Amino acid sequence: MPTWGELFGYRIFFWSRETGEPVHVHVCKGSPTENATKIWIPQDGNPVVANNNSRIPQKDLNRLLKGIAANKESIVFSWYQHFGLK
C-alpha cells in the first residue's frame, strides 16, 4: 500500500488492489485499515467523499478536501505511476 504523504496528521494512501477504479485516495490517522475514508479525485479536481468510514470530523474532512484539491496534480501523478497507467 503506497503512501502519497500526510496532510494535517492524516495519512493519504492507495490500496494496490484497486486498479479498476477511478483515481481516489484513502485517508486515516495511524496505520491504514480497511475502514479508511475514501475520497474520489475526479478530473475537474474537486475531491468528493465516497465514504467517511473512519469517521473523520467534518472540520478535518473539509481541510483534507482542500488539501487534496491543492495537491491534485501530485496525487494523480503518483496514482498513475503506481498503477502503471498513462
Side-chain angles (χ1 to χ4, degrees), residues 30-51:
S31 298
T33 69
E34 294 288 329
N35 289 328
T37 294
K38 182 186 267 190
I39 298 176
W40 298 108
I41 306 175
Q43 289 186 345
D44 69 6
N46 295 315
V48 177
V49 177
N51 71 57

Side-chain angles (χ1 to χ4, degrees), residues 8 18 22-23 29-31 33 38 41 43 46 49 51 55 60 63-64 69 71-74 76 86:
F8 315 113
E18 297 183 322
V23 177
K29 280 207 175 195
S31 298
T33 69
K38 182 186 267 190
I41 306 175
Q43 289 186 345
N46 295 315
V49 177
N51 71 57
R55 297 185 176 111
D60 289 352
R63 289 177 65 203
L64 286 163
N71 290 284
K72 175 200 171 233
E73 289 182 23
S74 175
V76 171
K86 270 197 175 180

Side-chain angles (χ1 to χ4, degrees), residues 7 13-14 21 34 36 41 49 53-54 58 66 80 84 86:
L7 288 173
F13 64 96
F14 313 120
E21 295 189 44
E34 294 288 329
I41 306 175
V49 177
N53 289 346
S54 55
Q58 191 62 49
K66 288 178 184 176
Y80 283 113
K86 270 197 175 180

